[in-house]
Amino acid sequence: MRIRIGVLTYRGESGFVEPGFFRRLVQEGREMGIEVFLFSPQDVRFSERRINGFVPEGNKWRRRQFTWPDIVIDRYRYYPLPKHRAYLPFRKQNWFRYANNRFSNKFVVHQILIQDPELQRWLPETLPYDRKTLASMFTDHRQVYLKPTNGSGGRSILRVEKKAGRYLLHGRTKQQAKSCEKLATLREVCERLEHWMKNEKNGNEQFFLQQGLQLSLIPNRTVDARLLVQKDGTGKWCLTGMGIRVGPTQSSTSNLHGGGKALPAISFLIERFGHEEAERIVLECKELAIKTVTRIEEHFGQMMEFGFDLGIDVHGKIWIIEINPKPGREIFKQMREYERYAMAIRRPLEYALYLVNKSNLTD
């Protein structure tokens, strides 16, 4: 009997949120001899132990009935909005065996990691928003970022820079519209930030402040590194790949969704730091990612893959900016590293297969 893997995700009126990735995932499964299908909480028929799942057929998604999966990969990108209301109660039940546990929001994750003495030196100062905190942070930092706890793709982030006695604000809204303005006083900045949070938050989402870093390895551009770490078919954490993301001119982030471009990491770093320092940076990024996921698993339980956004400042110091448990892998496609892109899609299936086989041996 073929092993059956369900992929839990959000399905709205307009379909699935990552259709290209999911098509590739189902196709990779077929090539591995695994049956892979997509489903959402509303598709499960508990009394019959059946699921109205979906598989790609041509340019469309075809609904089919599936029996209970051997294991489920949770790819649901949750936001505190009414349309996602069903996810958390659904996920907290033990109806399925999952390849990956639930994670938490960015600020909570930072609070967990900052308690580890080995990780503290890589973490920028990060605090809940209030006016006194913002004023205090500007005594130590020239730049401060305002970020949502559940944001992704660089949306709803605002960068505030103190320059020549004025404050420059750069950001992108939920709809990816650019926002740029100059303000004279910190009080005006606070009022603007509070208005931004009110308009940009999803449901009861909170915002936090984060120390700005000197990530302009290219003048007037935000530059960072994206690492994809995944478990392989033996259950071990591996670095699947790494790339550099360069944001558009004056952009507050480097995200590819916001017009950033991807470049191979080692050649970019050699050009700026020389061979020896570039190799040190790449090795430290890898070791940092593996050390961090180990700490995360101690707290959250079994995980499967993470995308790391790491800052590399002008002095070659590395910073953890963000950790995403449901990462994209389009950076490899942008860099034309197609074999690595295929590996990045295949590895979650290989790991899920490993868990099923391991369970069958112990039953």
Side-chain angles (χ1 to χ4, degrees):
M1 252 177 73
R2 278 207 302 173
I3 285 173
R4 189 176 300 107
I5 297 176
V7 179
L8 174 64
T9 185
Y10 172 72
R11 179 174 60 80
E13 289 177 12
S14 57
F16 296 109
V17 286
E18 304 173 280
F21 166 63
F22 287 137
R23 284 175 187 279
R24 284 293 304 264
L25 196 66
V26 175
Q27 184 57 39
E28 284 290 338
R30 284 172 184 157
E31 290 173 16
M32 293 167 65
I34 305 167
E35 189 170 46
V36 180
F37 67 92
L38 273 56
F39 73 100
S40 293
Q42 68 265 32
D43 299 320
V44 182
R45 303 291 172 262
F46 297 104
S47 57
E48 306 161 30
R49 280 183 71 84
R50 289 192 171 273
I51 298 174
N52 292 326
F54 291 81
V55 290
E57 193 174 86
N59 294 323
K60 296 184 177 177
W61 289 89
R62 186 162 71 90
R63 188 196 294 266
R64 275 179 45 199
Q65 274 214 344
F66 292 89
T67 53
W68 229 235
D70 295 288
I71 197 163
V72 171
I73 292 172
D74 183 352
R75 186 69 191 181
Y76 198 113
R77 289 180 167 176
Y78 169 77
Y79 298 97
L81 292 169
K83 66 181 181 181
H84 296 296
R85 194 182 292 121
Y87 169 73
L88 285 179
F90 178 89
R91 187 62 174 85
K92 286 175 182 174
Q93 302 300 319
N94 293 319
W95 287 311
F96 304 108
R97 182 173 184 207
Y98 287 94
N100 51 329
N101 277 302
R102 286 193 308 119
F103 201 44
S104 191
N105 72 53
K106 297 171 190 178
F107 186 69
V108 170
V109 171
H110 178 274
Q111 289 177 302
I112 290 161
L113 297 182
I114 201 73
Q115 292 169 30
D116 188 327
E118 285 192 36
L119 296 176
Q120 285 172 3
R121 66 190 175 97
W122 286 298
L123 292 162
E125 186 180 8
T126 303
L127 296 162
Y129 171 82
D130 70 40
R131 292 190 174 196
K132 281 185 181 176
T133 302
L134 182 65
S136 170
M137 287 182 81
F138 269 119
T139 62
D140 298 322
H141 311 297
R142 191 166 57 86
Q143 279 183 11
V144 175
Y145 279 80
L146 179 74
K147 294 184 172 184
T149 52
N150 291 298
S152 70
R155 296 174 182 87
S156 305
I157 293 174
L158 202 56
R159 182 182 72 204
V160 186
E161 182 179 4
K162 192 175 183 181
K163 200 171 185 180
R166 296 174 77 81
Y167 296 91
L168 310 180
L169 280 64
H170 289 274
R172 276 190 294 120
T173 67
K174 283 187 277 197
Q175 286 76 35
Q176 298 285 13
K178 282 187 180 179
S179 173
C180 304
E181 54 195 305
K182 289 182 185 177
L183 297 172
T185 67
L186 193 59
R187 181 177 177 173
E188 286 179 284
V189 172
C190 291
E191 287 170 358
R192 179 70 185 98
L193 264 54
E194 285 155 19
H195 181 71
W196 177 273
M197 289 185 282
K198 186 180 175 183
N199 285 347
E200 291 293 313
K201 71 176 183 176
N202 289 316
N204 60 356
E205 183 175 46
Q206 301 300 305
F207 279 71
F208 61 90
L209 298 167
Q210 191 168 76
Q211 164 191 348
L213 306 169
Q214 292 184 17
L215 303 180
S216 50
L217 293 175
I218 298 174
N220 299 318
R221 304 286 187 100
T222 299
V223 178
D224 65 17
R226 162 57 69 94
L227 273 74
L228 180 63
V229 289
Q230 298 176 295
K231 282 187 178 169
D232 64 11
T234 67
K236 290 188 176 68
W237 284 107
C238 300
L239 174 63
T240 300
M242 176 178 177
I244 296 292
R245 301 184 307 178
V246 180
T249 308
Q250 300 295 349
S251 173
S252 57
T253 66
S254 65
N255 295 77
L256 303 183
H257 293 296
K261 65 176 182 178
L263 300 170
I266 195 72
S267 55
F268 177 89
L269 293 170
I270 286 170
E271 202 176 307
R272 278 144 193 89
F273 295 102
H275 268 91
E276 195 175 321
E277 181 70 351
E279 285 177 9
R280 187 222 29 108
I281 289 169
V282 171
L283 183 62
E284 188 178 329
C285 285
K286 180 182 177 182
E287 288 176 347
L288 168 58
I290 301 298
K291 192 176 287 190
T292 305
V293 294
T294 304
R295 176 73 186 92
I296 285 169
E297 283 198 304
E298 286 171 8
H299 193 276
F300 290 99
Q302 174 184 285
M303 306 302 282
M304 183 178 68
E305 62 178 354
F306 283 97
F308 276 78
D309 294 345
L310 300 179
I312 301 166
D313 70 18
V314 292
H315 309 293
K317 178 169 166 53
I318 296 161
W319 300 87
I320 297 174
I321 299 174
E322 203 166 291
I323 306 167
N324 183 352
K326 292 162 188 174
R329 47 217 85 202
E330 298 305 302
I331 190 167
F332 304 123
K333 204 193 274 187
Q334 269 217 18
M335 295 191 297
R336 300 185 179 179
E337 295 183 3
Y338 298 116
E339 284 185 27
R340 204 178 293 274
Y341 178 66
M343 184 196 297
I345 290 169
R346 199 166 53 245
R347 273 192 163 156
L349 298 176
E350 290 173 344
Y351 177 59
L353 190 59
Y354 157 78
L355 290 176
V356 172
N357 290 334
K358 186 179 166 191
S359 174
N360 290 343
L361 285 173
T362 54
D363 284 351

